Structure formats: C-alpha cells, structure tokens
Coordinates of all heavy atoms in Angstrom, one line a residue:
M1 N 41.8 5.3 11.6 CA 40.4 5.1 11.1 C 40.5 5.2 9.6 O 41.1 6.0 9.0 CB 39.5 6.2 11.7 CG 38.1 5.9 11.4 SD 36.8 7.1 12.0 CE 37.3 7.4 13.6
G2 N 39.7 4.3 9.0 CA 39.7 4.2 7.5 C 38.6 5.0 6.9 O 37.9 5.8 7.6
E3 N 38.4 4.8 5.6 CA 37.3 5.5 4.9 C 36.4 4.5 4.3 O 36.8 3.4 4.0 CB 37.9 6.4 3.8 CG 38.7 7.6 4.3 CD 39.1 8.5 3.2 OE1 39.6 8.0 2.2 OE2 39.0 9.7 3.4
V4 N 35.1 4.9 4.1 CA 34.1 4.1 3.6 C 33.5 4.7 2.4 O 33.2 5.9 2.4 CB 33.0 3.8 4.7 CG1 31.8 3.0 4.1 CG2 33.6 3.1 5.9
L5 N 33.3 3.9 1.3 CA 32.6 4.4 0.1 C 31.2 3.9 0.2 O 31.0 2.7 0.2 CB 33.3 3.9 -1.2 CG 32.6 4.3 -2.5 CD1 32.7 5.8 -2.7 CD2 33.2 3.5 -3.7
T6 N 30.2 4.8 0.2 CA 28.8 4.4 0.2 C 28.1 4.8 -1.1 O 28.4 5.9 -1.6 CB 28.1 5.1 1.4 OG1 28.8 4.8 2.6 CG2 26.7 4.7 1.5
T7 N 27.3 3.9 -1.6 CA 26.5 4.2 -2.8 C 25.0 4.3 -2.4 O 24.5 3.4 -1.7 CB 26.7 3.1 -3.8 OG1 28.1 3.0 -4.1 CG2 26.0 3.4 -5.1
M8 N 24.4 5.4 -2.9 CA 23.0 5.6 -2.5 C 22.2 5.8 -3.8 O 22.6 6.6 -4.7 CB 22.9 6.9 -1.7 CG 21.6 7.4 -1.4 SD 21.6 9.0 -0.5 CE 22.5 8.7 0.9
K9 N 21.0 5.2 -3.9 CA 20.1 5.4 -5.0 C 19.1 6.4 -4.6 O 18.4 6.2 -3.5 CB 19.4 4.2 -5.5 CG 18.5 4.3 -6.6 CD 17.8 3.1 -7.0 CE 18.7 2.2 -7.8 NZ 17.9 1.0 -8.4
I10 N 18.9 7.5 -5.3 CA 18.0 8.6 -4.9 C 16.9 8.6 -6.0 O 17.1 8.9 -7.2 CB 18.7 10.0 -4.9 CG1 19.9 9.9 -3.9 CG2 17.8 11.1 -4.6 CD1 20.9 11.0 -4.1
M11 N 15.6 8.4 -5.5 CA 14.5 8.4 -6.4 C 13.8 9.8 -6.3 O 13.4 10.2 -5.2 CB 13.5 7.3 -6.0 CG 14.1 5.9 -6.2 SD 14.6 5.5 -7.9 CE 13.0 5.5 -8.7
P12 N 13.5 10.4 -7.5 CA 12.8 11.7 -7.5 C 11.3 11.4 -7.3 O 10.8 10.3 -7.5 CB 13.1 12.3 -8.9 CG 13.4 11.1 -9.7 CD 14.1 10.0 -8.8
D13 N 10.5 12.5 -7.0 CA 9.1 12.3 -6.9 C 8.4 11.9 -8.2 O 7.4 11.2 -8.1 CB 8.5 13.7 -6.4 CG 8.7 13.9 -4.9 OD1 8.8 12.9 -4.1 OD2 8.8 15.1 -4.5
S14 N 8.9 12.4 -9.3 CA 8.3 12.1 -10.6 C 9.3 12.3 -11.7 O 10.4 12.9 -11.5 CB 7.1 13.1 -10.8 OG 7.6 14.4 -11.1
P15 N 9.0 11.8 -12.9 CA 9.9 12.0 -14.0 C 10.1 13.5 -14.4 O 11.1 13.8 -15.1 CB 9.2 11.3 -15.2 CG 8.3 10.3 -14.5 CD 7.9 11.0 -13.2
E16 N 9.2 14.4 -13.9 CA 9.3 15.8 -14.3 C 10.3 16.6 -13.3 O 10.6 17.7 -13.6 CB 8.0 16.5 -14.2 CG 7.0 16.1 -15.4 CD 6.4 14.7 -15.1 OE1 6.1 14.4 -14.0 OE2 6.2 14.0 -16.1
E17 N 10.8 15.9 -12.3 CA 11.7 16.6 -11.3 C 13.0 17.0 -12.0 O 13.5 16.3 -12.9 CB 12.0 15.7 -10.1 CG 10.9 15.5 -9.1 CD 10.5 16.8 -8.5 OE1 11.2 17.8 -8.3 OE2 9.3 16.9 -8.1
D18 N 13.5 18.2 -11.6 CA 14.7 18.7 -12.2 C 15.9 18.0 -11.5 O 16.3 18.4 -10.4 CB 14.8 20.2 -12.0 CG 16.0 20.9 -12.6 OD1 16.8 20.1 -13.2 OD2 16.1 22.1 -12.6
L19 N 16.5 17.0 -12.2 CA 17.6 16.2 -11.6 C 18.8 17.1 -11.4 O 19.6 16.9 -10.4 CB 17.9 15.0 -12.4 CG 16.8 14.0 -12.6 CD1 17.3 12.8 -13.4 CD2 16.3 13.5 -11.2
E20 N 19.0 18.0 -12.3 CA 20.2 18.9 -12.2 C 20.1 19.7 -11.0 O 21.2 20.0 -10.3 CB 20.4 19.7 -13.5 CG 20.7 18.9 -14.7 CD 21.9 18.0 -14.6 OE1 22.9 18.5 -14.1 OE2 21.8 16.9 -15.0
A21 N 18.9 20.2 -10.6 CA 18.8 21.0 -9.4 C 19.0 20.1 -8.1 O 19.6 20.6 -7.2 CB 17.4 21.6 -9.3
I22 N 18.6 18.9 -8.2 CA 18.8 18.0 -7.0 C 20.3 17.7 -6.9 O 20.8 17.8 -5.8 CB 18.0 16.7 -7.2 CG1 16.5 17.0 -7.1 CG2 18.4 15.7 -6.1 CD1 15.6 15.8 -7.4
K23 N 21.0 17.5 -8.0 CA 22.4 17.2 -8.0 C 23.2 18.4 -7.5 O 24.1 18.3 -6.7 CB 22.9 16.7 -9.3 CG 22.4 15.4 -9.7 CD 23.1 14.8 -10.9 CE 22.6 15.4 -12.2 NZ 23.2 14.7 -13.4
A24 N 22.8 19.6 -7.9 CA 23.4 20.8 -7.5 C 23.3 21.0 -6.0 O 24.2 21.4 -5.3 CB 22.9 22.0 -8.2
T25 N 22.1 20.7 -5.5 CA 21.8 20.9 -4.0 C 22.7 19.9 -3.2 O 23.3 20.2 -2.2 CB 20.3 20.6 -3.7 OG1 19.6 21.6 -4.5 CG2 20.1 20.8 -2.2
I26 N 22.8 18.7 -3.8 CA 23.7 17.7 -3.1 C 25.1 18.2 -3.1 O 25.8 18.2 -2.0 CB 23.6 16.3 -3.8 CG1 22.2 15.7 -3.6 CG2 24.7 15.4 -3.3 CD1 22.0 14.5 -4.5
Q27 N 25.6 18.7 -4.2 CA 27.0 19.2 -4.2 C 27.2 20.4 -3.3 O 28.3 20.5 -2.7 CB 27.4 19.6 -5.7 CG 27.5 18.4 -6.6 CD 27.7 18.7 -8.0 OE1 27.4 19.8 -8.5 NE2 28.2 17.8 -8.8
D28 N 26.2 21.2 -3.2 CA 26.4 22.4 -2.3 C 26.2 22.1 -0.8 O 26.5 23.0 0.0 CB 25.4 23.5 -2.8 CG 25.7 24.0 -4.2 OD1 26.9 23.9 -4.6 OD2 24.8 24.6 -4.8
S29 N 25.6 21.0 -0.5 CA 25.1 20.8 0.9 C 25.7 19.6 1.6 O 25.3 19.1 2.6 CB 23.6 20.6 0.9 OG 22.9 21.7 0.3
M30 N 26.8 19.0 1.0 CA 27.4 17.8 1.6 C 27.9 18.2 3.0 O 28.5 19.2 3.2 CB 28.6 17.3 0.8 CG 28.2 16.5 -0.4 SD 27.2 15.1 -0.2 CE 28.5 13.9 0.3
P31 N 27.5 17.3 4.0 CA 28.0 17.6 5.4 C 29.5 17.5 5.5 O 30.2 16.9 4.7 CB 27.3 16.4 6.1 CG 26.3 15.9 5.3 CD 26.7 16.2 3.9
E32 N 30.0 18.2 6.6 CA 31.4 18.1 6.8 C 31.8 16.7 7.1 O 31.1 15.9 7.7 CB 31.7 19.0 8.1 CG 33.1 19.1 8.4 CD 33.4 20.1 9.6 OE1 32.6 21.0 9.8 OE2 34.4 19.8 10.3
G33 N 32.9 16.3 6.5 CA 33.5 15.0 6.7 C 33.0 14.0 5.6 O 33.4 12.8 5.6
A34 N 32.2 14.5 4.7 CA 31.7 13.6 3.6 C 32.2 14.3 2.3 O 32.1 15.5 2.2 CB 30.2 13.4 3.6
K35 N 32.6 13.5 1.3 CA 33.0 14.1 0.0 C 32.4 13.2 -1.1 O 32.4 12.0 -1.0 CB 34.5 14.3 -0.1 CG 35.3 13.0 0.1 CD 36.8 13.3 0.1 CE 37.6 12.1 0.5 NZ 38.9 12.4 0.8
I36 N 32.0 13.9 -2.1 CA 31.4 13.2 -3.3 C 32.5 12.5 -4.1 O 33.5 13.0 -4.4 CB 30.6 14.2 -4.2 CG1 29.5 14.8 -3.4 CG2 30.2 13.5 -5.5 CD1 28.8 15.9 -4.2
H37 N 32.2 11.2 -4.4 CA 33.1 10.5 -5.3 C 32.6 10.5 -6.7 O 33.3 10.7 -7.6 CB 33.2 9.0 -4.8 CG 34.0 8.1 -5.7 ND1 35.4 8.3 -5.8 CD2 33.7 7.1 -6.5 CE1 35.9 7.4 -6.6 NE2 34.8 6.6 -7.1
E38 N 31.3 10.3 -6.9 CA 30.7 10.3 -8.2 C 29.2 10.5 -8.1 O 28.5 10.1 -7.1 CB 30.9 9.0 -8.9 CG 30.4 8.8 -10.3 CD 30.7 7.5 -10.9 OE1 30.8 6.5 -10.2 OE2 30.7 7.4 -12.1
I39 N 28.6 11.2 -9.1 CA 27.2 11.3 -9.2 C 26.8 10.9 -10.6 O 27.4 11.4 -11.6 CB 26.7 12.8 -9.0 CG1 27.0 13.3 -7.6 CG2 25.2 12.9 -9.2 CD1 26.5 14.7 -7.3
A40 N 25.9 9.9 -10.7 CA 25.5 9.4 -12.0 C 24.0 9.3 -12.1 O 23.3 9.5 -11.1 CB 26.1 8.0 -12.3
E41 N 23.5 9.0 -13.3 CA 22.0 8.8 -13.4 C 21.8 7.4 -13.9 O 22.6 6.8 -14.7 CB 21.5 9.8 -14.4 CG 21.5 11.2 -13.9 CD 20.9 12.2 -14.9 OE1 20.3 11.8 -15.9 OE2 21.0 13.4 -14.6
E42 N 20.7 6.8 -13.5 CA 20.3 5.4 -13.9 C 18.8 5.5 -14.3 O 17.9 5.7 -13.5 CB 20.5 4.5 -12.7 CG 20.0 3.1 -13.0 CD 20.2 2.2 -11.8 OE1 21.3 2.1 -11.2 OE2 19.2 1.5 -11.4
P43 N 18.5 5.2 -15.6 CA 17.1 5.1 -16.0 C 16.4 4.0 -15.3 O 17.0 2.9 -15.2 CB 17.2 4.8 -17.5 CG 18.6 5.2 -17.9 CD 19.5 5.0 -16.7
I44 N 15.2 4.2 -14.9 CA 14.4 3.2 -14.2 C 13.3 2.6 -15.1 O 13.4 1.5 -15.6 CB 13.8 3.7 -12.8 CG1 14.9 4.3 -11.9 CG2 13.0 2.7 -12.1 CD1 16.0 3.3 -11.5
A45 N 12.3 3.4 -15.3 CA 11.2 3.0 -16.2 C 10.3 4.2 -16.4 O 10.2 5.1 -15.6 CB 10.4 1.9 -15.6
F46 N 9.6 4.2 -17.6 CA 8.6 5.2 -17.9 C 9.1 6.6 -17.7 O 8.4 7.5 -17.2 CB 7.3 5.0 -17.0 CG 6.8 3.6 -17.1 CD1 6.9 2.8 -16.0 CD2 6.2 3.2 -18.3 CE1 6.4 1.5 -16.1 CE2 5.7 1.9 -18.4 CZ 5.8 1.0 -17.3
G47 N 10.3 6.9 -18.1 CA 10.9 8.2 -18.0 C 11.5 8.6 -16.7 O 12.1 9.6 -16.5
L48 N 11.3 7.7 -15.7 CA 11.9 8.0 -14.3 C 13.4 7.7 -14.3 O 13.8 6.6 -14.8 CB 11.1 7.2 -13.3 CG 11.4 7.5 -11.8 CD1 11.0 8.9 -11.5 CD2 10.7 6.5 -10.9
V49 N 14.2 8.6 -13.8 CA 15.6 8.4 -13.7 C 16.0 8.6 -12.3 O 15.7 9.6 -11.6 CB 16.3 9.4 -14.6 CG1 17.8 9.3 -14.5 CG2 15.9 9.3 -16.1
A50 N 16.8 7.7 -11.7 CA 17.4 7.8 -10.4 C 18.7 8.4 -10.4 O 19.5 8.3 -11.4 CB 17.5 6.4 -9.8
I51 N 19.1 9.1 -9.3 CA 20.4 9.6 -9.2 C 21.2 8.6 -8.3 O 20.7 8.2 -7.3 CB 20.4 11.0 -8.5 CG1 19.7 12.0 -9.4 CG2 21.8 11.5 -8.2 CD1 19.4 13.3 -8.7
I52 N 22.4 8.2 -8.8 CA 23.3 7.3 -8.0 C 24.4 8.2 -7.5 O 25.2 8.7 -8.2 CB 23.8 6.2 -8.9 CG1 22.7 5.5 -9.7 CG2 24.7 5.3 -8.1 CD1 21.7 4.8 -8.8
L53 N 24.4 8.3 -6.2 CA 25.4 9.1 -5.5 C 26.4 8.2 -4.8 O 26.0 7.3 -4.0 CB 24.8 10.0 -4.4 CG 25.7 10.8 -3.5 CD1 26.5 11.8 -4.2 CD2 24.8 11.5 -2.4
S54 N 27.7 8.3 -5.0 CA 28.8 7.6 -4.3 C 29.5 8.7 -3.5 O 30.0 9.7 -4.1 CB 29.7 6.9 -5.3 OG 29.0 5.9 -6.0
F55 N 29.7 8.4 -2.3 CA 30.4 9.4 -1.4 C 31.3 8.7 -0.4 O 31.1 7.5 -0.1 CB 29.4 10.3 -0.7 CG 28.4 9.6 0.2 CD1 28.6 9.5 1.5 CD2 27.2 9.1 -0.3 CE1 27.7 8.9 2.4 CE2 26.3 8.5 0.5 CZ 26.6 8.4 1.9
I56 N 32.3 9.4 0.1 CA 33.3 8.9 1.0 C 33.1 9.5 2.3 O 33.0 10.8 2.4 CB 34.7 9.1 0.5 CG1 34.8 8.3 -0.9 CG2 35.7 8.6 1.5 CD1 36.1 8.7 -1.6
T57 N 33.1 8.7 3.4 CA 33.0 9.2 4.8 C 34.1 8.5 5.6 O 34.6 7.4 5.2 CB 31.7 9.1 5.4 OG1 31.3 7.7 5.4 CG2 30.6 9.9 4.7
D58 N 34.3 9.0 6.8 CA 35.2 8.2 7.7 C 34.5 7.0 8.2 O 33.2 7.0 8.4 CB 35.6 9.1 8.9 CG 36.6 10.2 8.5 OD1 37.4 10.0 7.6 OD2 36.6 11.3 9.2
D59 N 35.2 6.0 8.6 CA 34.7 4.7 9.1 C 34.4 4.9 10.6 O 35.2 4.6 11.4 CB 35.7 3.6 8.9 CG 35.2 2.3 9.3 OD1 34.0 2.1 9.5 OD2 36.0 1.3 9.5
G60 N 33.3 5.5 10.9 CA 32.9 5.7 12.3 C 31.4 5.5 12.4 O 30.7 5.3 11.5
E61 N 31.0 5.5 13.6 CA 29.5 5.3 13.9 C 28.7 6.4 13.3 O 29.0 7.6 13.4 CB 29.3 5.3 15.4 CG 27.9 5.0 15.8 CD 27.8 4.9 17.4 OE1 28.8 4.5 18.0 OE2 26.7 5.1 17.8
G62 N 27.6 5.9 12.5 CA 26.7 6.9 11.9 C 27.3 7.6 10.7 O 26.9 8.7 10.4
G63 N 28.3 7.0 10.1 CA 29.1 7.7 9.0 C 28.3 8.3 7.9 O 28.5 9.4 7.4
S64 N 27.2 7.5 7.4 CA 26.5 8.0 6.3 C 25.2 8.7 6.7 O 24.5 9.3 5.8 CB 26.1 6.8 5.4 OG 25.2 5.9 6.0
E65 N 24.8 8.7 8.0 CA 23.6 9.3 8.4 C 23.4 10.8 8.1 O 22.3 11.2 7.6 CB 23.3 9.0 9.9 CG 23.0 7.6 10.2 CD 22.8 7.3 11.7 OE1 22.5 8.3 12.4 OE2 22.9 6.2 12.1
P66 N 24.4 11.6 8.3 CA 24.2 13.0 7.9 C 23.9 13.2 6.4 O 23.1 14.1 6.1 CB 25.6 13.7 8.3 CG 26.2 12.8 9.3 CD 25.7 11.4 8.9
V67 N 24.6 12.4 5.6 CA 24.3 12.5 4.1 C 22.9 12.0 3.8 O 22.1 12.7 3.1 CB 25.3 11.7 3.3 CG1 25.0 11.8 1.8 CG2 26.7 12.3 3.6
E68 N 22.5 10.9 4.4 CA 21.1 10.4 4.2 C 20.1 11.4 4.6 O 19.1 11.7 3.9 CB 20.9 9.1 5.0 CG 21.7 8.0 4.6 CD 21.6 6.7 5.5 OE1 20.5 6.4 5.8 OE2 22.6 6.2 5.8
E69 N 20.3 12.1 5.8 CA 19.3 13.1 6.3 C 19.3 14.3 5.3 O 18.2 14.8 5.0 CB 19.7 13.5 7.7 CG 19.5 12.4 8.7 CD 20.0 12.7 10.1 OE1 20.6 13.9 10.3 OE2 20.0 11.9 11.0
M70 N 20.4 14.7 4.9 CA 20.5 15.9 4.0 C 19.8 15.6 2.7 O 19.0 16.4 2.2 CB 22.0 16.3 3.7 CG 22.2 17.4 2.8 SD 22.3 17.1 1.0 CE 23.8 16.0 0.9
V71 N 20.1 14.4 2.1 CA 19.5 14.1 0.8 C 18.0 13.9 0.9 O 17.2 14.4 0.1 CB 20.1 12.9 0.2 CG1 19.4 12.4 -1.1 CG2 21.6 13.1 -0.2
S72 N 17.5 13.3 2.0 CA 16.1 13.1 2.2 C 15.3 14.4 2.3 O 14.1 14.4 2.0 CB 15.9 12.2 3.5 OG 16.4 10.9 3.3
A73 N 16.0 15.4 2.8 CA 15.3 16.7 3.0 C 15.2 17.6 1.8 O 14.6 18.6 1.8 CB 16.0 17.5 4.1
I74 N 15.9 17.2 0.7 CA 15.9 18.0 -0.6 C 14.5 17.9 -1.2 O 13.9 16.8 -1.4 CB 16.9 17.4 -1.6 CG1 18.3 17.6 -1.0 CG2 16.8 18.2 -2.9 CD1 19.4 17.0 -1.8
P75 N 13.9 19.0 -1.6 CA 12.6 19.0 -2.3 C 12.7 18.2 -3.6 O 13.7 18.4 -4.3 CB 12.3 20.5 -2.5 CG 13.1 21.2 -1.5 CD 14.3 20.4 -1.3
G76 N 11.7 17.4 -3.9 CA 11.7 16.6 -5.1 C 12.3 15.2 -4.9 O 12.2 14.4 -5.8
V77 N 12.8 14.9 -3.7 CA 13.4 13.5 -3.5 C 12.3 12.7 -2.8 O 11.8 13.1 -1.8 CB 14.6 13.6 -2.6 CG1 15.0 12.2 -2.2 CG2 15.8 14.3 -3.4
A78 N 11.9 11.6 -3.5 CA 10.9 10.7 -2.9 C 11.4 9.7 -1.9 O 10.8 9.5 -0.9 CB 10.1 10.0 -4.0
S79 N 12.6 9.1 -2.2 CA 13.2 8.1 -1.4 C 14.6 8.0 -1.6 O 15.1 8.4 -2.7 CB 12.5 6.8 -1.5 OG 12.7 6.3 -2.8
I80 N 15.3 7.4 -0.7 CA 16.7 7.1 -0.8 C 16.9 5.6 -0.4 O 16.2 5.1 0.4 CB 17.7 8.0 0.0 CG1 17.4 7.8 1.4 CG2 17.5 9.4 -0.5 CD1 18.5 8.4 2.3
E81 N 17.9 5.0 -1.0 CA 18.3 3.6 -0.6 C 19.8 3.4 -0.7 O 20.4 3.8 -1.7 CB 17.6 2.6 -1.6 CG 18.0 1.2 -1.4 CD 17.4 0.2 -2.4 OE1 16.7 0.7 -3.4 OE2 17.7 -1.0 -2.3
I82 N 20.4 2.9 0.4 CA 21.8 2.6 0.4 C 21.9 1.3 -0.3 O 21.4 0.3 0.1 CB 22.4 2.5 1.8 CG1 22.2 3.8 2.6 CG2 23.8 2.1 1.8 CD1 22.9 5.0 2.0
T83 N 22.7 1.3 -1.4 CA 22.8 0.1 -2.3 C 24.2 -0.5 -2.1 O 24.4 -1.7 -2.6 CB 22.6 0.4 -3.7 OG1 23.5 1.5 -4.2 CG2 21.1 0.9 -4.0
G84 N 25.1 0.1 -1.5 CA 26.4 -0.5 -1.3 C 27.3 0.3 -0.3 O 27.2 1.5 -0.2
V85 N 28.1 -0.5 0.5 CA 29.0 0.1 1.4 C 30.3 -0.7 1.4 O 30.2 -1.9 1.5 CB 28.4 0.1 2.9 CG1 29.4 0.7 3.9 CG2 27.1 0.9 3.0
G86 N 31.4 -0.1 1.2 CA 32.6 -0.8 1.1 C 33.8 0.0 1.8 O 33.8 1.3 1.7
R87 N 34.7 -0.6 2.4 CA 35.8 0.0 3.1 C 36.9 0.3 2.0 O 37.2 -0.6 1.2 CB 36.3 -0.9 4.2 CG 37.3 -0.2 5.1 CD 37.5 -1.1 6.3 NE 37.9 -0.2 7.3 CZ 38.1 -0.5 8.5 NH1 37.9 -1.7 8.9 NH2 38.5 0.4 9.4
L88 N 37.5 1.5 2.1 CA 38.6 1.8 1.2 C 39.9 1.5 1.8 O 40.1 1.7 3.0 CB 38.5 3.3 0.8 CG 37.3 3.8 0.1 CD1 37.3 5.3 -0.1 CD2 37.2 3.1 -1.3
M89 N 40.8 1.0 1.1 CA 42.1 0.6 1.6 C 43.1 1.7 1.2 O 43.1 2.3 0.3 CB 42.5 -0.7 1.1 CG 41.7 -1.8 1.5 SD 41.9 -2.1 3.3 CE 40.7 -3.4 3.5

C-alpha cells in the first residue's frame, strides 16, 4: 500500500482567530496513521488568513477522513476544503 499527500485549506471563523493556537491543536491532535508534511499560511482578503495543511496518510479507504473530522472540530475553524490529493511514489 502506498502513501497519499493531501492538501487542505482551513478557513478560520474570523481574522481575529488565533492561527497559532489552531496550528498547535492540529500538531497535537493528528490521528494515528497521519503525519504532517507542512503547515503554511495563505492570505485571503481583508485580513483573513487561511491555514494550508499538507499531510501524509496511507492509501486506503477513508484515508483523510479522520484528519478532516479532527480539524473541523477545532474551535475557531469555519470550514475546510481538500484542495489536492496525490499519490507518493
């Protein structure tokens, strides 16, 4: 079984949200079988900044679902969007 790199855009509730706290929660709460590849920030508009999370999971059924559920449950997260999925060789 191979590995998959998934990229997720995480939108905070407002420009005032503490992005560092959200990123720390992500780092501390990654589900078993998932590992962070990179966490970056992307300015959107009017002071709103999205968190771009790239993570690696096994190539199996529902591979990114535990991470999606974990991130969606973090206080201050308004929405998530999977923006890319690619198989690692």
